[in-house]
Amino acid sequence: MKVAVFTTKSYDKEFLNEANTQFQHELTYFEPHLDLLTAQLAAGSPAVCVFVNDTLNREVLAKLSEGGTRLVALRCAGFNNVDLCACDELGMTVVRVPAYSPYAVAEHTIGLMLALNRKIHRAYNRVREGNFSLEGLIGFDLHGKTVGIVGTGTIGVIVAQILKGFGCRLLAYDVYQNPECQALGVQYVSFEDLLKESDILTLHCPLTPQTHHLINTQAIGKMKPGVMILNTSRGGVIDTKAVIEGLKSGKIGYLGMDVYEEESELFFEDLSSCVIQDDLFMRLLTFPNVLITAHQGFFTKNALENIAQTTLQNISDIETGRSCPNIVKAEHHYKAACQTKT
Ligand code: NAD
């Protein structure tokens, strides 16, 4: 199938081209994000292949549809950037890669947790400058600490497995209780109890209308003083202004983020010679107890191979009319939202 691939980086090309030797799709690579301006690049392509920060709102989808696009192939798990109701109305199919390497994201989360706790990011800079002082680098044992996991799906359960090995007490909040987590001894509690009891809070739920700004001023108010918050899910789950206030007051002791609610303007680009205009993001960077990575949780060789393979397989399945297990259906996720809109 003819596929317009947006937000292409060198690594996307490398892994997609390699996997495509098996599928033989006609891939055209575009560096820009998909948005209303760039949508015309897809004219004549029955499929677009997109990533987390491409815009697939109603206007963009309508423009794609005018150009003959019928399939949106996400090369990621999250689909919060796609207006599924509009896709339904326009007769467009959406496919995704539900699990490419949950280990990649779970392990990155633990990396942020360890680095923040033991201040490895600060120690690295000190030692390079010949400063071997330990002042201010004191950490705590993870063993025996209570970790609250929000969202115990594919990634959350692996985080639980790893933390069990560290000897942490594990609590979880989810709308669905995962038997795999229960078997590990994870205790499901209310969101409020999770906030009250956790020394570390780690977010692994999708971004939906229900989870948007789940971590807000009210939630932060209920947390333990000095709590560590980790977000490798989606930026919008955290209210950035609220966490900045929490950091300033000392209520939040550590913040590790791999995602940011306005990341589409920043992440995946080299902006080192630019004046960054996002004042909230720049404020976050001033805290010594904040560690930010630019949405690299997924970024392992294994994950990139799986993403390329599943994305191209999804496209082939739809092209040949085979059943595709990775179709995202509006009615499964946002039925209520669709009904409100239409
Ligand atoms: P998943 O669908 O397997 O699990 C998500 C879990 O969240 C499910 O158990 C679900 O029941 C739960 N959930 C849904 N709504 C909830 C709510 N309102 N409150 C509490 N829990 C709720 O997803 P996953 O593959 O484990 O991915 C988790 C998150 O990680 C997603 O947001 C995804 O977008 C993100 N992600 C980030 C990266 C990265 O590179 N940083 C890579 C992949 C996925």
PDB file of all heavy atoms in Angstrom, residues 1-5 16-17 20-21 23-30 43-49 312 315-316 319:
ATOM      1  N   MET A   1       0.850  -1.198   0.000  1.00  0.00           N
ATOM      2  CA  MET A   1       0.000   0.000   0.000  1.00  0.00           C
ATOM      3  C   MET A   1       0.890   1.255   0.000  1.00  0.00           C
ATOM      4  O   MET A   1       1.994   1.223   0.547  1.00  0.00           O
ATOM      5  CB  MET A   1      -0.900  -0.004   1.249  1.00  0.00           C
ATOM      6  CG  MET A   1      -1.968   1.058   1.231  1.00  0.00           C
ATOM      7  SD  MET A   1      -2.997   1.081   2.745  1.00  0.00           S
ATOM      8  CE  MET A   1      -4.178  -0.187   2.436  1.00  0.00           C
ATOM      9  N   LYS A   2       0.361   2.331  -0.594  1.00  0.00           N
ATOM     10  CA  LYS A   2       1.102   3.592  -0.597  1.00  0.00           C
ATOM     11  C   LYS A   2       0.896   4.267   0.767  1.00  0.00           C
ATOM     12  O   LYS A   2      -0.246   4.503   1.170  1.00  0.00           O
ATOM     13  CB  LYS A   2       0.521   4.470  -1.714  1.00  0.00           C
ATOM     14  CG  LYS A   2       1.475   5.464  -2.275  1.00  0.00           C
ATOM     15  CD  LYS A   2       0.912   6.118  -3.519  1.00  0.00           C
ATOM     16  CE  LYS A   2       1.720   7.364  -3.787  1.00  0.00           C
ATOM     17  NZ  LYS A   2       1.081   8.287  -4.689  1.00  0.00           N
ATOM     18  N   VAL A   3       1.982   4.533   1.449  1.00  0.00           N
ATOM     19  CA  VAL A   3       1.881   5.053   2.817  1.00  0.00           C
ATOM     20  C   VAL A   3       2.711   6.333   2.957  1.00  0.00           C
ATOM     21  O   VAL A   3       3.899   6.343   2.617  1.00  0.00           O
ATOM     22  CB  VAL A   3       2.427   4.019   3.842  1.00  0.00           C
ATOM     23  CG1 VAL A   3       2.163   4.494   5.269  1.00  0.00           C
ATOM     24  CG2 VAL A   3       1.845   2.634   3.617  1.00  0.00           C
ATOM     25  N   ALA A   4       2.067   7.398   3.447  1.00  0.00           N
ATOM     26  CA  ALA A   4       2.801   8.638   3.749  1.00  0.00           C
ATOM     27  C   ALA A   4       3.214   8.575   5.213  1.00  0.00           C
ATOM     28  O   ALA A   4       2.365   8.554   6.107  1.00  0.00           O
ATOM     29  CB  ALA A   4       1.903   9.850   3.498  1.00  0.00           C
ATOM     30  N   VAL A   5       4.520   8.551   5.445  1.00  0.00           N
ATOM     31  CA  VAL A   5       5.039   8.401   6.813  1.00  0.00           C
ATOM     32  C   VAL A   5       5.456   9.785   7.324  1.00  0.00           C
ATOM     33  O   VAL A   5       6.336  10.420   6.733  1.00  0.00           O
ATOM     34  CB  VAL A   5       6.248   7.441   6.835  1.00  0.00           C
ATOM     35  CG1 VAL A   5       6.705   7.184   8.272  1.00  0.00           C
ATOM     36  CG2 VAL A   5       5.925   6.131   6.131  1.00  0.00           C
ATOM     37  N   LEU A  16      11.904   0.884   9.602  1.00  0.00           N
ATOM     38  CA  LEU A  16      10.781   0.609   8.698  1.00  0.00           C
ATOM     39  C   LEU A  16      11.277  -0.007   7.388  1.00  0.00           C
ATOM     40  O   LEU A  16      10.690  -0.971   6.888  1.00  0.00           O
ATOM     41  CB  LEU A  16       9.981   1.891   8.414  1.00  0.00           C
ATOM     42  CG  LEU A  16       9.025   2.336   9.536  1.00  0.00           C
ATOM     43  CD1 LEU A  16       8.509   3.741   9.281  1.00  0.00           C
ATOM     44  CD2 LEU A  16       7.846   1.375   9.695  1.00  0.00           C
ATOM     45  N   ASN A  17      12.371   0.543   6.854  1.00  0.00           N
ATOM     46  CA  ASN A  17      12.901  -0.002   5.588  1.00  0.00           C
ATOM     47  C   ASN A  17      13.307  -1.455   5.762  1.00  0.00           C
ATOM     48  O   ASN A  17      13.029  -2.290   4.895  1.00  0.00           O
ATOM     49  CB  ASN A  17      14.101   0.814   5.107  1.00  0.00           C
ATOM     50  CG  ASN A  17      13.662   2.118   4.459  1.00  0.00           C
ATOM     51  OD1 ASN A  17      12.491   2.268   4.109  1.00  0.00           O
ATOM     52  ND2 ASN A  17      14.582   3.062   4.310  1.00  0.00           N
ATOM     53  N   ASN A  20      10.273  -3.537   5.967  1.00  0.00           N
ATOM     54  CA  ASN A  20       9.480  -3.488   4.727  1.00  0.00           C
ATOM     55  C   ASN A  20      10.005  -4.424   3.633  1.00  0.00           C
ATOM     56  O   ASN A  20       9.312  -4.639   2.640  1.00  0.00           O
ATOM     57  CB  ASN A  20       9.413  -2.044   4.224  1.00  0.00           C
ATOM     58  CG  ASN A  20       8.262  -1.836   3.266  1.00  0.00           C
ATOM     59  OD1 ASN A  20       7.200  -2.454   3.418  1.00  0.00           O
ATOM     60  ND2 ASN A  20       8.465  -1.000   2.257  1.00  0.00           N
ATOM     61  N   THR A  21      11.178  -4.972   3.793  1.00  0.00           N
ATOM     62  CA  THR A  21      11.658  -5.939   2.793  1.00  0.00           C
ATOM     63  C   THR A  21      10.678  -7.126   2.749  1.00  0.00           C
ATOM     64  O   THR A  21      10.504  -7.751   1.721  1.00  0.00           O
ATOM     65  CB  THR A  21      13.083  -6.453   3.121  1.00  0.00           C
ATOM     66  OG1 THR A  21      13.086  -6.920   4.464  1.00  0.00           O
ATOM     67  CG2 THR A  21      14.120  -5.370   2.962  1.00  0.00           C
ATOM     68  N   PHE A  23       7.307  -6.751   3.544  1.00  0.00           N
ATOM     69  CA  PHE A  23       5.933  -6.326   3.208  1.00  0.00           C
ATOM     70  C   PHE A  23       5.808  -5.629   1.858  1.00  0.00           C
ATOM     71  O   PHE A  23       4.747  -5.647   1.247  1.00  0.00           O
ATOM     72  CB  PHE A  23       5.408  -5.400   4.313  1.00  0.00           C
ATOM     73  CG  PHE A  23       5.270  -6.077   5.646  1.00  0.00           C
ATOM     74  CD1 PHE A  23       6.254  -5.972   6.610  1.00  0.00           C
ATOM     75  CD2 PHE A  23       4.145  -6.845   5.927  1.00  0.00           C
ATOM     76  CE1 PHE A  23       6.129  -6.603   7.843  1.00  0.00           C
ATOM     77  CE2 PHE A  23       4.008  -7.481   7.152  1.00  0.00           C
ATOM     78  CZ  PHE A  23       5.005  -7.364   8.112  1.00  0.00           C
ATOM     79  N   GLN A  24       6.877  -4.936   1.435  1.00  0.00           N
ATOM     80  CA  GLN A  24       6.894  -4.250   0.145  1.00  0.00           C
ATOM     81  C   GLN A  24       5.819  -3.165   0.004  1.00  0.00           C
ATOM     82  O   GLN A  24       5.210  -3.030  -1.042  1.00  0.00           O
ATOM     83  CB  GLN A  24       6.748  -5.277  -1.008  1.00  0.00           C
ATOM     84  CG  GLN A  24       7.861  -6.310  -1.061  1.00  0.00           C
ATOM     85  CD  GLN A  24       9.231  -5.689  -1.412  1.00  0.00           C
ATOM     86  OE1 GLN A  24       9.307  -4.797  -2.232  1.00  0.00           O
ATOM     87  NE2 GLN A  24      10.283  -6.130  -0.764  1.00  0.00           N
ATOM     88  N   HIS A  25       5.568  -2.422   1.073  1.00  0.00           N
ATOM     89  CA  HIS A  25       4.679  -1.263   0.938  1.00  0.00           C
ATOM     90  C   HIS A  25       5.457  -0.129   0.276  1.00  0.00           C
ATOM     91  O   HIS A  25       6.692  -0.107   0.301  1.00  0.00           O
ATOM     92  CB  HIS A  25       4.177  -0.803   2.314  1.00  0.00           C
ATOM     93  CG  HIS A  25       3.241  -1.779   2.955  1.00  0.00           C
ATOM     94  ND1 HIS A  25       2.040  -2.129   2.389  1.00  0.00           N
ATOM     95  CD2 HIS A  25       3.333  -2.493   4.110  1.00  0.00           C
ATOM     96  CE1 HIS A  25       1.428  -3.013   3.161  1.00  0.00           C
ATOM     97  NE2 HIS A  25       2.195  -3.261   4.202  1.00  0.00           N
ATOM     98  N   GLU A  26       4.703   0.825  -0.300  1.00  0.00           N
ATOM     99  CA  GLU A  26       5.361   1.972  -0.948  1.00  0.00           C
ATOM    100  C   GLU A  26       5.432   3.111   0.075  1.00  0.00           C
ATOM    101  O   GLU A  26       4.449   3.840   0.259  1.00  0.00           O
ATOM    102  CB  GLU A  26       4.523   2.378  -2.158  1.00  0.00           C
ATOM    103  CG  GLU A  26       5.251   3.234  -3.152  1.00  0.00           C
ATOM    104  CD  GLU A  26       4.307   3.680  -4.266  1.00  0.00           C
ATOM    105  OE1 GLU A  26       3.503   2.839  -4.750  1.00  0.00           O
ATOM    106  OE2 GLU A  26       4.361   4.866  -4.620  1.00  0.00           O
ATOM    107  N   LEU A  27       6.557   3.216   0.762  1.00  0.00           N
ATOM    108  CA  LEU A  27       6.672   4.179   1.868  1.00  0.00           C
ATOM    109  C   LEU A  27       7.285   5.489   1.379  1.00  0.00           C
ATOM    110  O   LEU A  27       8.359   5.484   0.779  1.00  0.00           O
ATOM    111  CB  LEU A  27       7.546   3.601   2.984  1.00  0.00           C
ATOM    112  CG  LEU A  27       7.148   2.227   3.538  1.00  0.00           C
ATOM    113  CD1 LEU A  27       8.148   1.770   4.620  1.00  0.00           C
ATOM    114  CD2 LEU A  27       5.738   2.248   4.111  1.00  0.00           C
ATOM    115  N   THR A  28       6.577   6.604   1.649  1.00  0.00           N
ATOM    116  CA  THR A  28       7.156   7.918   1.346  1.00  0.00           C
ATOM    117  C   THR A  28       7.369   8.631   2.672  1.00  0.00           C
ATOM    118  O   THR A  28       6.426   8.761   3.460  1.00  0.00           O
ATOM    119  CB  THR A  28       6.204   8.750   0.459  1.00  0.00           C
ATOM    120  OG1 THR A  28       5.843   7.949  -0.651  1.00  0.00           O
ATOM    121  CG2 THR A  28       6.860  10.022  -0.025  1.00  0.00           C
ATOM    122  N   TYR A  29       8.607   9.058   2.912  1.00  0.00           N
ATOM    123  CA  TYR A  29       8.943   9.628   4.223  1.00  0.00           C
ATOM    124  C   TYR A  29       8.884  11.149   4.196  1.00  0.00           C
ATOM    125  O   TYR A  29       9.410  11.786   3.294  1.00  0.00           O
ATOM    126  CB  TYR A  29      10.350   9.182   4.624  1.00  0.00           C
ATOM    127  CG  TYR A  29      10.445   7.698   4.877  1.00  0.00           C
ATOM    128  CD1 TYR A  29      11.098   6.857   3.971  1.00  0.00           C
ATOM    129  CD2 TYR A  29       9.890   7.134   6.016  1.00  0.00           C
ATOM    130  CE1 TYR A  29      11.189   5.493   4.211  1.00  0.00           C
ATOM    131  CE2 TYR A  29       9.973   5.774   6.262  1.00  0.00           C
ATOM    132  CZ  TYR A  29      10.623   4.960   5.362  1.00  0.00           C
ATOM    133  OH  TYR A  29      10.708   3.618   5.604  1.00  0.00           O
ATOM    134  N   PHE A  30       8.228  11.702   5.222  1.00  0.00           N
ATOM    135  CA  PHE A  30       8.190  13.151   5.399  1.00  0.00           C
ATOM    136  C   PHE A  30       8.712  13.489   6.786  1.00  0.00           C
ATOM    137  O   PHE A  30       8.316  12.848   7.763  1.00  0.00           O
ATOM    138  CB  PHE A  30       6.758  13.674   5.251  1.00  0.00           C
ATOM    139  CG  PHE A  30       6.166  13.410   3.892  1.00  0.00           C
ATOM    140  CD1 PHE A  30       5.205  12.430   3.721  1.00  0.00           C
ATOM    141  CD2 PHE A  30       6.612  14.121   2.785  1.00  0.00           C
ATOM    142  CE1 PHE A  30       4.670  12.169   2.468  1.00  0.00           C
ATOM    143  CE2 PHE A  30       6.079  13.863   1.517  1.00  0.00           C
ATOM    144  CZ  PHE A  30       5.112  12.884   1.357  1.00  0.00           C
ATOM    145  N   ALA A  43      -1.816  13.430   0.072  1.00  0.00           N
ATOM    146  CA  ALA A  43      -2.824  13.275  -1.000  1.00  0.00           C
ATOM    147  C   ALA A  43      -2.429  12.119  -1.912  1.00  0.00           C
ATOM    148  O   ALA A  43      -1.275  12.020  -2.352  1.00  0.00           O
ATOM    149  CB  ALA A  43      -2.940  14.576  -1.788  1.00  0.00           C
ATOM    150  N   GLY A  44      -3.361  11.230  -2.146  1.00  0.00           N
ATOM    151  CA  GLY A  44      -3.092  10.077  -3.015  1.00  0.00           C
ATOM    152  C   GLY A  44      -2.571   8.862  -2.260  1.00  0.00           C
ATOM    153  O   GLY A  44      -2.401   7.798  -2.852  1.00  0.00           O
ATOM    154  N   SER A  45      -2.312   9.015  -0.962  1.00  0.00           N
ATOM    155  CA  SER A  45      -1.857   7.865  -0.165  1.00  0.00           C
ATOM    156  C   SER A  45      -3.042   7.296   0.625  1.00  0.00           C
ATOM    157  O   SER A  45      -3.600   7.994   1.470  1.00  0.00           O
ATOM    158  CB  SER A  45      -0.771   8.274   0.837  1.00  0.00           C
ATOM    159  OG  SER A  45       0.363   8.722   0.159  1.00  0.00           O
ATOM    160  N   PRO A  46      -3.393   6.048   0.391  1.00  0.00           N
ATOM    161  CA  PRO A  46      -4.510   5.476   1.159  1.00  0.00           C
ATOM    162  C   PRO A  46      -4.203   5.325   2.640  1.00  0.00           C
ATOM    163  O   PRO A  46      -5.117   5.169   3.444  1.00  0.00           O
ATOM    164  CB  PRO A  46      -4.726   4.094   0.525  1.00  0.00           C
ATOM    165  CG  PRO A  46      -3.763   3.957  -0.590  1.00  0.00           C
ATOM    166  CD  PRO A  46      -2.842   5.132  -0.616  1.00  0.00           C
ATOM    167  N   ALA A  47      -2.913   5.392   3.010  1.00  0.00           N
ATOM    168  CA  ALA A  47      -2.568   5.261   4.433  1.00  0.00           C
ATOM    169  C   ALA A  47      -1.581   6.331   4.856  1.00  0.00           C
ATOM    170  O   ALA A  47      -0.725   6.748   4.069  1.00  0.00           O
ATOM    171  CB  ALA A  47      -1.958   3.887   4.697  1.00  0.00           C
ATOM    172  N   VAL A  48      -1.734   6.781   6.104  1.00  0.00           N
ATOM    173  CA  VAL A  48      -0.692   7.602   6.723  1.00  0.00           C
ATOM    174  C   VAL A  48      -0.146   6.830   7.913  1.00  0.00           C
ATOM    175  O   VAL A  48      -0.864   6.071   8.556  1.00  0.00           O
ATOM    176  CB  VAL A  48      -1.200   8.994   7.200  1.00  0.00           C
ATOM    177  CG1 VAL A  48      -1.557   9.888   6.041  1.00  0.00           C
ATOM    178  CG2 VAL A  48      -2.357   8.864   8.180  1.00  0.00           C
ATOM    179  N   CYS A  49       1.144   7.051   8.165  1.00  0.00           N
ATOM    180  CA  CYS A  49       1.785   6.401   9.309  1.00  0.00           C
ATOM    181  C   CYS A  49       2.280   7.526  10.205  1.00  0.00           C
ATOM    182  O   CYS A  49       3.029   8.398   9.753  1.00  0.00           O
ATOM    183  CB  CYS A  49       2.930   5.526   8.812  1.00  0.00           C
ATOM    184  SG  CYS A  49       3.838   4.737  10.142  1.00  0.00           S
ATOM    185  N   LEU A 312       3.704  -2.306   9.885  1.00  0.00           N
ATOM    186  CA  LEU A 312       3.589  -2.744   8.485  1.00  0.00           C
ATOM    187  C   LEU A 312       2.653  -3.951   8.373  1.00  0.00           C
ATOM    188  O   LEU A 312       1.903  -4.077   7.394  1.00  0.00           O
ATOM    189  CB  LEU A 312       4.971  -3.041   7.911  1.00  0.00           C
ATOM    190  CG  LEU A 312       5.918  -1.825   7.890  1.00  0.00           C
ATOM    191  CD1 LEU A 312       7.276  -2.205   7.344  1.00  0.00           C
ATOM    192  CD2 LEU A 312       5.335  -0.658   7.085  1.00  0.00           C
ATOM    193  N   ILE A 315      -0.870  -2.623   8.420  1.00  0.00           N
ATOM    194  CA  ILE A 315      -1.240  -2.043   7.116  1.00  0.00           C
ATOM    195  C   ILE A 315      -1.574  -3.179   6.136  1.00  0.00           C
ATOM    196  O   ILE A 315      -2.580  -3.118   5.409  1.00  0.00           O
ATOM    197  CB  ILE A 315      -0.110  -1.122   6.584  1.00  0.00           C
ATOM    198  CG1 ILE A 315       0.049   0.092   7.506  1.00  0.00           C
ATOM    199  CG2 ILE A 315      -0.389  -0.676   5.149  1.00  0.00           C
ATOM    200  CD1 ILE A 315       1.288   0.946   7.244  1.00  0.00           C
ATOM    201  N   SER A 316      -0.756  -4.231   6.135  1.00  0.00           N
ATOM    202  CA  SER A 316      -1.017  -5.371   5.243  1.00  0.00           C
ATOM    203  C   SER A 316      -2.349  -6.039   5.576  1.00  0.00           C
ATOM    204  O   SER A 316      -3.105  -6.410   4.687  1.00  0.00           O
ATOM    205  CB  SER A 316       0.090  -6.420   5.355  1.00  0.00           C
ATOM    206  OG  SER A 316       1.256  -5.930   4.759  1.00  0.00           O
ATOM    207  N   GLU A 319      -5.066  -3.874   4.239  1.00  0.00           N
ATOM    208  CA  GLU A 319      -5.038  -3.874   2.759  1.00  0.00           C
ATOM    209  C   GLU A 319      -5.645  -5.153   2.194  1.00  0.00           C
ATOM    210  O   GLU A 319      -6.382  -5.128   1.216  1.00  0.00           O
ATOM    211  CB  GLU A 319      -3.574  -3.746   2.293  1.00  0.00           C
ATOM    212  CG  GLU A 319      -3.432  -3.623   0.782  1.00  0.00           C
ATOM    213  CD  GLU A 319      -1.958  -3.453   0.366  1.00  0.00           C
ATOM    214  OE1 GLU A 319      -1.062  -3.952   1.065  1.00  0.00           O
ATOM    215  OE2 GLU A 319      -1.736  -2.823  -0.691  1.00  0.00           O
TER     216      GLU A 319
END
